[in-house]
Structures are given as structure tokens and as C-alpha cells.
Amino acid sequence: MAHAQLKQFETVRYSRIYALGAARGDQVVTNDEVAGPIDSSDEWIRQRTGIITRRRAGKDQSLMDMAVAASTEAIQKAGIEPREIGAVIFSTISHPYQTPSAATLLAELIGANPAPAFDISAACAGYCYGIAQADAMVRSGLAKYVLVVGGEKLTDYIDPADRSISFLLGDGAGAAVVGPSDIPGISPTVWGSDGSKWGAVSMTGSLLDFRDGETSWPTLRQDGQSVFRWAVWQMAKVAQEALDAAGVTANDLSALVTHQANMRIIDEMVKTLKLPATVVVARDIADTGNTSAASVPLAMHRLLAEHQVESGGLALEIGFGAGLAFAAQVVVLP
Ligand SMILES: CC(C)(COP(=O)(O)OP(=O)(O)OC[C@H]1O[C@@H](n2cnc3c(N)ncnc32)[C@H](O)[C@@H]1OP(=O)(O)O)[C@@H](O)C(=O)NCCC(=O)NCCS
């Protein structure tokens, strides 16, 4: 007997980012405010990181508040209705529940219920992981429009006395609507992980350690020097591979939007990639700080909002961090 065949289905050739949305923590926190408990100074933090102020969310502003604001802006600018969204992907490491996910609540709050919704845990690479997923979902026909959010309220996981990372961190959310396109709008993603460095950016303990009284409330910590070296050496290579996969060179870019981890890492990447001066480099870290999964969409949103780049140009975006995990792709600016 001949086997029954599945119905043929439509796929879409390409996807693109339709629009972005952004929300930052409602408080501006200066270097002087964070320097005391870590025996640091405004000068040291500026010189070693490029951060002048960071944005943090106060007690009354939640991760979900920022995610809803960013998503609402992206959906409005994309010119679609929330109910048209075929999937919600929320990249975050700071949603305060093991389960249920942040994405299902976000879908409900923005009017995208009953879209499938799930979280991605890939830290500072999370947004670029989400764009890779959204691109694949749109092209395979699994969803027409996908909402990708990178959002963090890292303030909840900061020890003000931790010298390794606390002073770098900020809070915010960035959102993108990805949908079908006639021309390529998102290049093949170059992505990966290196779990041999699992502990390089991590927590001071697990929730079980906390339950058993073996650690205080777990907060973020990192081995700054080894992460710095990895970011400078390995991530510049990944960025170049993403350009190659996209079939373009650094000269074709309008913008470079890296994870906003440290201004010195950004400067090194500009040098290694031999970026011409015509390429606008996102430097949102100076007054937003490092917002992990939110940093790439926030930085790109800002370049567009301040008219530093034009819609239709090419941007190389790259996220990297805890895991270690990384992802890079070239996108057409919305
Ligand atoms: C964290 C980071 C800013 C530290 O800067 P650094 O230049 O590597 O600093 P070092 O660890 O080499 O320390 C240099 C000196 O500054 C001191 N120092 C370290 N942290 C300090 C701080 N927060 N404030 C003041 N001094 C500090 C050290 O004690 C050391 O002093 P010494 O020379 O007298 O021994 C940097 O390593 C970094 O940005 N790493 C990567 C972050 C990243 O990409 N994360 C990705 C995941 S989010």
C-alpha cells in the first residue's frame, strides 16, 4: 500500500526586521553612585569600560513593564496587529520565575495570546539567538510574524560590592518584529557556544545553594579578564565569519552593533575588522551600561532614533556572553 503524503506547504524565501522598540530603566545611575562599595572611581570606570552612567529600573518598574513598552512600540511601528504575531520569543536571564516563562505572560499582556511563546536563556547572545530563531520560523512558514524581545532587570541580581561585574550592568528591553520579505533581510546566523568556559560569567551560587543556606541571594559575577580576551579574539573572528556568510565586507556596512559589554572591546573589534570610518559604531554602553540580552536591540534602536543610520542600510549585530554563547548576523536596518 502506498504511504499517504503530507499536504505540500508554502515556505517563504526571506525574512527581515520590520521595526524595533526600546525601553530603558527609569533611573540614571552615575559612576560615583556605584564606585563606593567596590573601592573604584568615576575615572577608573570611564577609562576601563567607557561607561559614564547606566540606566537602572527602580522598584516600581519591572522587567515585564519594560518588555511590554518595547514590544508595543515595535508592533505599532511594524504596522501589524498584536493578534497577527505567530510567535513570541523572550530572551532573558532575569525573569524571576523558573516557570512559567516570561514570554507567555508577555504574549497575554500585549494581545498576542494564543501565539506560541517561549524564553531563550543565552544571556548577552540571547537577542541574536532570538533573531536566528525568528528568521528560521518565518522562512519555514511556522509563523508569519515573530516578536523577539531581549529584556533584563539585572538590578535584581547585582551585589553592589562585587567588583567583577556589578558596576557594568543596567536594565532595559529591546524588541523586534520579524516577518516575511521579498529580499534577504537577515543573513545566515553564525552562532555557537563554549561550555568549557561555563563558569566565566556566572552566578555566585545556585538556587539550591541559596535554599540550603550555603550562599546568600545568588548574584552575577565574572572572570572579567578571560571574558575580555575571549571577546576581543574570538568574537572578532565570529563577526568576520558573519560578514562572509552574508556575502559582504566591512565596507558595505552602515553600522556595527555589538553587545555593549565594554567600550574597549568595541574599539578592539573595530580595529580587527578594519572598519572604515563611514561605518557608524553603536556606543550605547556609555549611558545605558551592559543590559545583557537587551543591549543589541537598544543600541540599534538608538542609532535609528537619532538618525545616525538610515533604514535599508546593513548592520552587523553580534551578541556574546555567559555560557559562553555567541551569535552574529548581518541585518537590513528597519
Ligand atoms: C571587568 C573589566 C571591566 C575589568 O577591567 P580590566 O581592565 O580587565 O581590569 P583587571 O581585572 O585587569 O584589573 C586591573 C586593575 O584594576 C583593578 N580593578 C578591577 N576591577 C576594578 C573595579 N571595578 N574598580 C576599580 N579597580 C578595579 C584590579 O584590582 C587591578 O588592579 P592592580 O593592577 O592594582 O592589580 C573587564 O575585564 C571587562 O569588561 N571584561 C569583559 C566583560 C564582558 O565582556 N562581559 C561579557 C558578559 S556580560
Side-chain angles (χ1 to χ4, degrees):
M1 197 183 91
H3 291 296
Q5 285 206 338
L6 296 175
K7 173 180 101 167
Q8 296 204 346
F9 55 90
E10 297 282 312
T11 55
V12 175
R13 196 102 200 250
Y14 303 117
S15 77
R16 66 180 169 92
I17 298 174
Y18 278 56
L20 298 176
R24 288 176 174 75
D26 53 13
Q27 300 181 355
V28 176
V29 178
T30 64
N31 288 338
D32 284 331
E33 287 173 82
V34 296
I38 53 171
D39 187 23
S40 192
S41 66
D42 175 45
E43 194 194 357
W44 192 94
I45 296 173
R46 277 181 201 236
Q47 277 180 1
R48 308 301 287 177
T49 73
I51 298 174
I52 298 165
T53 56
R54 76 268 310 121
R55 296 288 289 270
R56 287 191 177 163
K59 228 176 162 25
D60 295 332
Q61 189 185 26
S62 69
L63 169 62
M64 202 54 69
D65 293 338
M66 295 186 284
V68 167
S71 303
T72 304
E73 181 191 343
I75 293 164
Q76 276 171 2
K77 286 189 171 158
I80 63 165
E81 294 297 324
R83 60 183 155 70
E84 293 181 86
I85 291 170
V88 174
I89 300 176
F90 198 151
S91 298
T92 184
I93 55 165
S94 48
H95 174 51
Y97 291 82
Q98 296 285 107
T99 196
S101 71
T104 50
L105 180 57
L106 178 64
E108 163 67 12
L109 293 174
I110 60 172
N113 180 344
F118 59 94
D119 293 358
I120 290 182
S121 175
C124 311
Y127 172 79
C128 295
Y129 265 59
I131 292 295
Q133 287 281 297
D135 168 50
M137 289 163 86
V138 169
R139 286 189 293 106
S140 69
L142 200 52
K144 185 169 181 190
Y145 299 108
V146 180
L147 177 71
V148 179
V149 177
E152 307 288 0
K153 186 172 178 182
L154 299 172
T155 297
D156 292 334
Y157 307 93
I158 284 177
D159 170 5
D162 171 89
R163 258 188 150 199
S164 74
I165 202 165
S166 63
F167 59 105
L168 301 171
L169 303 176
D171 304 326
V177 172
V178 176
S181 171
D182 294 334
I183 56 157
I186 298 173
S187 76
T189 295
V190 174
W191 57 343
S193 71
D194 180 2
S196 73
K197 298 189 181 65
W198 195 80
V201 188
S202 178
M203 309 290 294
T204 48
S206 73
L207 287 177
L208 300 184
D209 297 333
F210 180 59
R211 178 196 65 189
D212 297 340
E214 286 163 18
T215 181
S216 48
W217 173 243
T219 54
L220 287 156
R221 54 146 302 279
Q222 70 170 340
D223 176 3
Q225 276 191 20
S226 72
V227 180
F228 191 95
R229 278 196 298 272
W230 171 77
V232 166
W233 293 109
Q234 304 301 322
M235 292 308 100
K237 281 187 216 158
V238 170
Q240 184 58 52
E241 284 172 32
L243 289 174
D244 296 343
V248 297
T249 70
N251 292 316
D252 299 315
L253 294 176
S254 296
L256 173 70
V257 185
T258 71
H259 169 48
Q260 304 287 297
N262 186 319
M263 201 70 90
R264 287 157 54 216
I265 295 176
I266 298 172
D267 289 335
E268 288 298 327
M269 204 172 285
V270 168
K271 262 192 249 163
T272 313
L273 291 173
K274 299 193 174 63
L275 279 198
T278 48
V279 180
V280 178
V281 178
R283 297 182 182 282
D284 188 43
I285 187 173
D287 48 31
T288 301
N290 174 350
T291 55
S292 192
S295 91
V296 167
L298 285 179
M300 186 177 286
H301 179 277
R302 180 176 190 161
L303 293 185
L304 288 160
E306 292 179 350
H307 305 289
Q308 294 190 54
V309 291
E310 281 176 28
S311 164
L314 297 180
L316 170 61
E317 57 180 26
I318 177 167
F320 48 84
L324 297 172
F326 59 88
Q329 58 258 131
V330 179
V331 302
V332 173
L333 288 161

